[in-house]
Amino acid sequence: MATATDRRRHVVVLHRWRDHHARYADYLDHHAERVTYITTALAAASVPASAAEVVVVDATDDLTATDAALRRLSDRFGTPDRLVALNEGDLDTAAALRLRHGLAGQLPDQLARYRDKLLMARRVADAGLPVPPFADAPTVDAVRDFADRHGWPVVIKPRSGTASRGVARLDGDADLAGPTAIGSEPYLVQRFVDAQILHVDGLWEGDRLGAWRASRYLNTCAEFTDGAYLGSVEIDDEPSLTAIGEFTAAVCAAFSAQPWVFHLETFIERGPDGTPRLSFLEAGARVGGAEIPFIWREVHGVDLVAAAIDIQLGRVPLLPAPEHHEVGGYLLLPTPVPAPCRVTDARWRDDTPVGGGPYTMVAPPPGTVIPRTGGYEHVGARFRFRGSSSGSVEAAIRTTAGAYHLACVQVSD
């Protein structure tokens, strides 16, 4: 119970990762401060043992449940000085709780530009930066009207979706006749762009680009949702990196004159002379998902999550430049059947890759039940790579994707 003499700060963490994407004990002194957690049964094992208290809820994006948990912690430890949430799926909940309880930090109206894909596209377009044609899509007719103006195919997606949930390519009017989610929640429609997709991750310091890394997807997040593997490899081509850095700085400045950690996705195309041409896809004020925080720490010696925590705690983020002597990459394998499912077989098809194989793998053994949680943590298998060049890392990723065998059977929730 909080007492009048206990002047230690109370920080509440909204936490949903089972793995150690965030090293909370490195960012917060759990003895000098009262650090409490609202988490799930699945993620509770990765909460530091020094937590002042842990409240388990069914889902951290359940506003009613998390509000009740926050009230319980406030009754015992006093009104929180800060509420921290790092996972993209928890940002809206955290902002709503801050508003409801009068807490410091990012509020819903401040978060909206980073969560609503329509608002973010408008902001970037208003800054004079390239954005493929887009529009609000409240109805099927709105999508049809957009396609009449800009042509097929088009892409539709929830304006506040995460991890490619609900993203669909429509190739013609016949696709609108089938089942769509339009109308169930706010949607965006955009002209389909047949181009390479990049993700750029790092820190915007408020007036300049801080530490950052750029990577290219070997396929797309939407294809992963449809059952393909998802690969990503960092870029080592200097002319491309120069163009990417200039574009990234312009986009970050269009969003805010305050520091923010970003996960930016862009299209990259080439002019007739090979010059890179970038256009905006979307951005989030968060550390990128999948294996990005691990690669930053393990390959480049920098904890990008630490900067995100600093910002949410009201501190000035200080982040050293990442080491560039190696290239990182990752591979995610989907489950062969929809989750929840039980792993029945997990093995290398031949010999375990050596030399050019992954330096780390997270592969559930047979008997493991993979839950239905969404996102990129609870997938069939996760692999991380490091190497001397983008080409060598890409080759290792593609080899591994075909060398690992995973079999599962569906189970009930």
Side-chain angles (χ1 to χ4, degrees):
M1 181 70 68
T3 66
T5 58
D6 192 342
R7 299 179 182 274
R8 291 180 299 163
R9 187 169 66 160
H10 179 204
V11 177
V12 178
V13 178
L14 203 55
H15 168 69
R16 70 157 68 187
W17 287 305
R18 181 161 62 181
D19 206 341
H20 295 277
H21 292 68
R23 295 178 172 178
Y24 298 109
D26 291 346
Y27 320 134
L28 292 157
D29 188 329
H30 285 55
H31 300 289
E33 300 176 300
R34 296 166 296 169
V35 185
T36 62
Y37 291 78
I38 301 172
T39 188
T40 65
L42 196 63
S46 59
V47 171
S50 51
E53 185 168 334
V54 179
V55 179
V56 174
V57 295
D58 288 338
T60 50
D61 57 1
D62 182 331
L63 183 57
T64 300
T66 53
D67 181 74
L70 184 62
R71 292 178 186 278
R72 169 178 160 180
L73 293 171
S74 297
D75 288 344
R76 181 170 183 188
F77 298 100
T79 300
D81 296 270
R82 289 281 173 169
L83 171 63
V84 168
L86 297 171
N87 188 287
E88 180 183 20
D90 295 328
L91 299 181
D92 294 297
T93 303
L97 289 172
R98 293 186 192 107
L99 179 63
R100 183 175 293 185
H101 293 270
L103 307 180
Q106 193 176 58
L107 301 177
D109 61 338
Q110 299 166 324
L111 174 64
R113 72 187 69 172
Y114 306 105
R115 290 285 293 128
D116 187 321
K117 293 175 174 57
L118 179 64
L119 298 184
M120 68 175 68
R122 285 175 175 166
R123 178 172 287 268
V124 175
D126 289 346
L129 299 171
V131 184
F134 64 92
D136 192 13
T139 64
V140 168
D141 285 340
V143 176
R144 183 178 291 111
D145 291 344
F146 178 88
D148 287 343
R149 295 193 305 274
H150 297 285
W152 301 95
V154 301
V155 174
I156 59 170
K157 48 190 167 182
R159 285 170 49 177
S160 296
T162 60
S164 294
R165 175 187 63 82
V167 177
R169 169 178 164 167
L170 307 179
D171 290 314
D173 196 78
D175 289 340
L176 288 173
T180 71
I182 297 294
S184 62
E185 61 179 305
Y187 261 70
L188 173 82
V189 61
Q190 192 163 35
R191 188 183 67 192
F192 174 75
V193 178
D194 185 14
Q196 173 74 59
I197 298 176
L198 311 181
H199 63 89
V200 191
D201 300 273
L203 171 67
W204 174 249
E205 295 183 348
D207 60 352
R208 71 194 69 185
L209 198 57
W212 64 282
R213 298 289 292 177
S215 306
R216 52 185 170 85
Y217 289 115
L218 303 186
N219 34 32
T220 69
C221 300
E223 289 171 334
F224 179 77
T225 302
D226 291 336
Y229 72 81
L230 178 63
S232 167
V233 59
E234 292 180 335
I235 296 169
D236 60 2
D237 171 45
E238 288 300 330
S240 293
L241 289 172
T242 297
I244 293 166
E246 292 172 353
F247 182 79
T248 299
V251 169
C252 288
F255 275 90
S256 180
Q258 299 298 318
W260 60 291
V261 168
F262 60 86
H263 176 70
L264 167 67
E265 294 190 341
T266 77
F267 299 106
I268 184 168
E269 301 174 275
R270 301 283 174 176
D273 61 352
T275 302
R277 297 177 177 175
L278 291 108
S279 57
F280 177 80
L281 177 53
E282 57 187 61
R286 58 179 176 84
V287 177
E291 306 306 290
I292 293 169
F294 297 100
I295 289 172
W296 271 68
R297 285 200 302 256
E298 296 161 359
V299 177
H300 303 304
V302 176
D303 193 343
L304 183 58
V305 180
I309 284 277
D310 282 341
I311 292 169
Q312 293 201 22
L313 294 176
R315 304 188 301 217
V316 176
L318 300 174
L319 202 64
E323 299 172 1
H324 285 70
H325 60 275
E326 284 189 296
V327 169
Y330 68 80
L331 167 68
L332 306 181
L333 295 183
T335 56
V337 298
C341 59
R342 179 180 292 108
V343 178
T344 58
D345 193 12
R347 56 185 167 82
W348 296 104
R349 297 184 188 277
D350 298 307
D351 293 332
T352 303
V354 296
Y359 74 83
T360 291
M361 59 183 289
V362 182
T368 302
V369 173
I370 298 175
R372 179 170 54 193
T373 61
Y376 296 129
E377 180 180 15
H378 302 287
V379 297
R382 299 157 43 204
F383 305 85
R384 300 196 286 275
F385 301 80
R386 63 199 310 166
S388 60
S389 69
S390 296
S392 64
V393 172
E394 177 179 350
I397 291 171
R398 293 191 185 278
T399 297
T400 301
Y404 195 78
H405 171 71
L406 179 71
C408 301
V409 294
Q410 277 193 278
V411 298
S412 58
D413 284 315

